[in-house]
Amino acid sequence: MITKYLNKSGKSSVKAYEILPTAIRVQFIKSGKWYSYSYTSAGMAHVEQMKKLALSGFGLNSNIQRWVRPMYDK
């Protein structure tokens, strides 16, 4: 189920997310693109943390920028 991100900080670039059993999909405001982060691509610990942050509405974009994005920029 696609859920609008609460963006409690008011500064996030995340628009919406979808939690899946072993992944999370995230949509960003500026591009409108969806990005998938799975246990395979980002690691189980990162994905589970992203799920918690998505549900809380705070810190998801920062977490992606700090921990997950660098894994894809290699």
Side-chain angles (χ1 to χ4, degrees):
M1 178 173 77
I2 295 172
T3 305
K4 182 180 176 184
Y5 186 61
L6 293 177
N7 191 9
K8 291 181 179 177
S9 72
K11 301 175 186 176
S12 182
S13 298
V14 175
K15 180 178 183 178
Y17 64 90
E18 181 178 22
I19 292 177
L20 305 169
T22 61
I24 184 169
R25 294 178 63 228
V26 179
Q27 183 184 34
F28 291 91
I29 294 168
K30 191 172 183 178
S31 68
K33 291 182 181 179
W34 284 90
Y35 292 85
S36 296
Y37 305 98
S38 69
Y39 285 3
T40 303
S41 67
M44 184 174 84
H46 287 295
V47 171
E48 290 303 316
Q49 178 66 17
M50 291 167 66
K51 289 179 183 182
K52 289 177 188 175
L53 295 169
L55 291 168
S56 76
F58 186 83
L60 180 57
N61 186 64
S62 296
N63 180 271
I64 291 170
Q65 296 304 317
R66 184 171 185 189
W67 300 108
V68 181
R69 185 174 174 207
M71 294 166 55
Y72 293 89
D73 289 344
K74 292 180 181 178

